[in-house]
C-alpha cells in the first residue's frame, strides 16, 4: 500500500509492516520523521476517520457495513480521502488515480449526506463497505455535530446543525477576525437531504441548519494543531511557541475571539494552519471555525490554545495587552439572531473587560 499526495507517492507500507519513505518533505506533519513506524502510520490513518462521538456515526458506519471499533479499517475502506487535504491511500491492486478518486471534483453520494444529517437510511448500497466502493467525505469529516457535504453549482458546502455559527460569524465579521463564514441553509437546500419531519424537529428545538463553503482546495490543505503538535514533539519544539511564531497577530486574535464568544470547543482539531501542497510548507493560519458550542453559560472556561492552563478571560487579557485590538466594531451591532438578550449582554460585558485595559 502507498500513501500519496494527489499522484505523488510519499510512503510505501510493506506487508511486513515496514514503512519506506519516498518523499519526506510532503508527508503529513504527523509522519514527518525518519524512520516512520507502522504504528505511527496506523495512528495517523485512524485519526482521519470519524469518531463514535459524532452524531449518527453509528448509523453511517452501519449503512456502509464498516467497523465501529477499527478506525484504521474505515480509513482503508474509503482510501483515507478527505476534504481537508489531498492525501490518500492506494492498495497494491488499485489502479485508480487522483483524477478519478479525489473528492473535490468527483460526485458524492447524497444519501450518505442525508444519513449524516438526519440518521435516516432509506437506501441500500450493494457491497458499500468493500474497499474502493466508498466515495464520500463523511467518513473523514471530524467533529461531533450532525453535518454533511453538499455540492451546489460546482462548489462544495458543509451543512451542519448548529445555530450558534450564525451569531459567531456576525461577531467575528464585525471585529475583522478571519473566520469561516456561515449562513442559514434555505428550505430548498434542506429539502434535498432532510425530511420535513426532521426539519421541523430542528427548528422546533430552536436550532438551525447552516452551511459554509469549503475553504481547502486540491492545492491548499489544512493541518490541525493536533498534527502540528505531534510534529513538534518529534524535534523537541514547543508547539505553542512555534504556533504563535507563525502569525502572532492571528494567534492573539484567537485568544480574544474565544473569550468574547465564550467558546469551550477550541480543541486541537478545531484550529490549525494552511499548507501549500506544492511545497509542503505552512503558509499561515486556517481561519477560525466551528463555533456551535460557543456562548456557553460557564464563566470559567479553560483556554485550549495556550501552553499553560489559564482561563479564557486571562488568556484574552494577556493577548489584548499586547495587541490592543480595536473592539469598536461591536458598537453598532444589535443582538445577533439565535442569541438571547442575556447571552448578548454577556458578550458585551466580556468586551468591556478588554476595553478597560
Amino acid at each position: 500500500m502507498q500513501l500519496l499526495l494527489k499522484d505523488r507517492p510519499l510512503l510505501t507500507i510493506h506487508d511486513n509492516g515496514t514503512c519506506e519513505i519516498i518523499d519526506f518533505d510532503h508527508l503529513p506533519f504527523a509522519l514527518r520523521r525518519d524512520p516512520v513506524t507502522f504504528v505511527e502510520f496506523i495512528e495517523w490513518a485512524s485519526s482521519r476517520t470519524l469518531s463514535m462521538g459524532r452524531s449518527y456515526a453509528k448509523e453511517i458506519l452501519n449503512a456502509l457495513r464498516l467497523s465501529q471499533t477499527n478506525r484504521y479499517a474505515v480509513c482503508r475502506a474509503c482510501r483515507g480521502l478527505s476534504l481537508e487535504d489531498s492525501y490518500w491511500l492506494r492498495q497494491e491492486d488499485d489502479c485508480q488515480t487522483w483524477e478519478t478518486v479525489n473528492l473535490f471534483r468527483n460526485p458524492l453520494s447524497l444519501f450518505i449526506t442525508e444519513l449524516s444529517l438526519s440518521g435516516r437510511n432509506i437506501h441500500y448500497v450493494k457491497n458499500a463497505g468493500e474497499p474502493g466502493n466508498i466515495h464520500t467525505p463523511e467518513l473523514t469529516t471530524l467533529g461531533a455535530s450532525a453535518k454533511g457535504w453538499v455540492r451546489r453549482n460546482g462548489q462544495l458546502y458543509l451543512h451542519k446543525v448548529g445555530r450558534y455559527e450564525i451569531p459567531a460569524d456576525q461577531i467575528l465579521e464585525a471585529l475583522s477576525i478571519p473566520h469561516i463564514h456561515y449562513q442559514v441553509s434555505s428550505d430548498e437546500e434542506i429539502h434535498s437531504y432532510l425530511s420535513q419531519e426532521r426539519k421541523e424537529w430542528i427548528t422546533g428545538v430552536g436550532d438551525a441548519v447552516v452551511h459554509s463553503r469549503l475553504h481547502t482546495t486540491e492545492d491548499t490543505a489544512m493541518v490541525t494543531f493536533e498534527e502540528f503538535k505531534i510534529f513538534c514533539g518529534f524535534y523537541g519544539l514547543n508547539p505553542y511557541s512555534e504556533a504563535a511564531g507563525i502569525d502572532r497577530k492571528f494567534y492573539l486574535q484567537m485568544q480574544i475571539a474565544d473569550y468574547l464568544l465564550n467558546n469551550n470547543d477550541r480543541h486541537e482539531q478545531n484550529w490549525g494552519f494552511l499548507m501549500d501542497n506544492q511545497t509542503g510548507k505552512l503558509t499561515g493560519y486556517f481561519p477560525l471555525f466551528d463555533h456551535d458550542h460557543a456562548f456557553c453559560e460557564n464563566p470559567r472556561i479553560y483556554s485550549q490554545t495556550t501552553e499553560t492552563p489559564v482561563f479564557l478571560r486571562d488568556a484574552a487579557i494577556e493577548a489584548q495587552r499586547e495587541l490592543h485590538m480595536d473592539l469598536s466594531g461591536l458598537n453598532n451591532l444589535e443582538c445577533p439572531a439565535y442569541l438571547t438578550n442575556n447571552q448578548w449582554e454577556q458578550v458585551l460585558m466580556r468586551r468591556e473587560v478588554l476595553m478597560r485595559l
Side-chain angles (χ1 to χ4, degrees):
M1 179 168 58
Q2 280 194 325
L3 166 63
L4 301 95
L5 176 62
K6 297 170 51 171
D7 282 319
R8 183 199 299 261
L10 307 178
L11 187 73
T12 298
I13 301 89
H14 296 287
D15 291 340
N16 64 2
T18 59
C19 299
E20 177 187 352
I21 297 174
I22 302 171
D23 184 341
F24 179 89
D25 293 334
H26 291 85
L27 282 170
F29 267 74
L31 294 178
R32 288 192 189 180
R33 65 179 303 173
D34 191 1
V36 174
T37 68
F38 186 54
V39 171
E40 289 165 342
F41 169 73
I42 290 179
E43 289 178 346
W44 171 82
S46 300
S47 70
R48 290 175 73 77
T49 62
L50 79 174
S51 71
M52 292 305 296
R54 176 175 159 185
S55 296
Y56 306 124
K58 183 182 292 290
E59 288 80 358
I60 296 169
L61 295 172
N62 283 347
L64 296 173
R65 299 187 172 186
L66 295 173
S67 171
Q68 295 183 18
T69 57
N70 189 338
R71 296 176 70 181
Y72 176 57
V74 173
C75 186
R76 290 187 58 171
C78 67
R79 294 191 175 96
L81 289 162
S82 169
L83 286 171
E84 286 192 359
D85 54 48
S86 296
Y87 293 115
W88 64 295
L89 304 177
R90 184 168 63 192
Q91 306 291 331
E92 187 176 3
D93 57 352
D94 190 349
C95 18
Q96 300 294 328
T97 65
W98 177 249
E99 179 70 22
T100 58
V101 303
N102 88 78
L103 298 172
F104 293 90
R105 283 182 281 123
N106 286 289
L108 308 179
S109 176
L110 191 57
F111 107 85
I112 304 180
T113 303
E114 178 184 52
L115 184 60
S116 299
L117 278 159
S118 70
R120 295 174 69 244
N121 179 19
I122 61 174
H123 296 81
Y124 170 74
V125 180
K126 185 178 181 181
N127 300 325
E130 293 184 1
N133 287 340
I134 300 173
H135 198 255
T136 175
E138 307 307 340
L139 294 173
T140 51
T141 299
L142 306 179
S145 301
K147 61 190 70 176
W149 290 96
V150 175
R151 194 186 305 275
R152 189 179 78 237
N153 299 325
Q155 178 63 48
L156 283 163
Y157 295 85
L158 179 65
H159 289 243
K160 63 184 291 188
V161 179
R163 67 185 184 276
Y164 286 143
E165 297 289 6
I166 301 302
D169 177 271
Q170 293 182 39
I171 292 169
L172 295 176
E173 184 69 15
L175 296 174
S176 300
I177 297 177
H179 64 285
I180 298 297
H181 294 284
Y182 278 88
Q183 294 179 304
V184 177
S185 302
S186 68
D187 289 341
E188 181 181 3
E189 291 169 325
I190 295 173
H191 180 71
S192 67
Y193 55 77
L194 273 188
S195 68
Q196 183 64 24
E197 180 184 21
R198 173 63 175 166
K199 174 190 165 186
E200 291 175 355
W201 183 88
I202 291 172
T203 56
V205 297
D207 221 324
V209 179
V210 300
H211 67 271
S212 62
R213 185 171 177 171
L214 176 66
H215 193 75
T216 54
T217 69
E218 293 181 63
D219 299 314
T220 303
M222 178 184 176
V223 176
T224 65
F225 181 73
E226 180 180 66
E227 275 209 70
F228 181 75
K229 187 176 180 181
I230 293 172
F231 168 80
C232 289
F234 292 155
Y235 300 99
L237 302 173
N238 183 314
Y240 298 95
S241 299
E242 295 294 324
I246 290 173
D247 184 341
R248 185 157 186 82
K249 178 181 178 181
F250 185 96
Y251 180 76
L252 296 175
Q253 285 180 325
M254 180 168 59
Q255 316 301 323
I256 294 170
D258 282 343
Y259 173 57
L260 292 174
L261 301 179
N262 212 32
N263 178 27
N264 69 349
D265 199 34
R266 187 75 67 202
H267 57 76
E268 293 180 353
Q269 291 184 332
N270 265 359
W271 62 291
F273 315 94
L274 292 165
M275 183 186 80
D276 181 348
N277 285 340
Q278 186 64 33
T279 64
K281 297 183 181 300
L282 300 181
T283 59
Y285 271 84
F286 196 88
L288 297 182
F289 64 98
D290 210 346
H291 299 107
D292 53 319
H293 292 283
F295 310 107
C296 64
E297 296 181 0
N298 182 4
R300 297 174 67 81
I301 298 172
Y302 279 101
S303 170
Q304 295 171 285
T305 59
T306 56
E307 180 180 5
T308 56
V310 297
F311 292 118
L312 290 181
R313 180 182 185 275
D314 298 325
I317 287 174
E318 184 176 344
Q320 180 65 354
R321 282 175 175 159
E322 178 178 339
L323 192 59
H324 305 292
M325 183 176 170
D326 182 7
L327 303 176
S328 63
L330 298 183
N331 288 351
N332 299 319
L333 187 64
E334 297 182 356
C335 180
Y338 300 106
L339 285 190
T340 65
N341 288 331
N342 182 63
Q343 286 175 315
W344 178 233
E345 288 173 4
Q346 292 299 316
V347 172
L348 296 180
M349 288 177 61
R350 289 190 288 271
R351 183 190 68 156
E352 288 303 313
V353 169
L354 299 181
M355 290 184 66
R356 288 197 297 266
L357 298 176

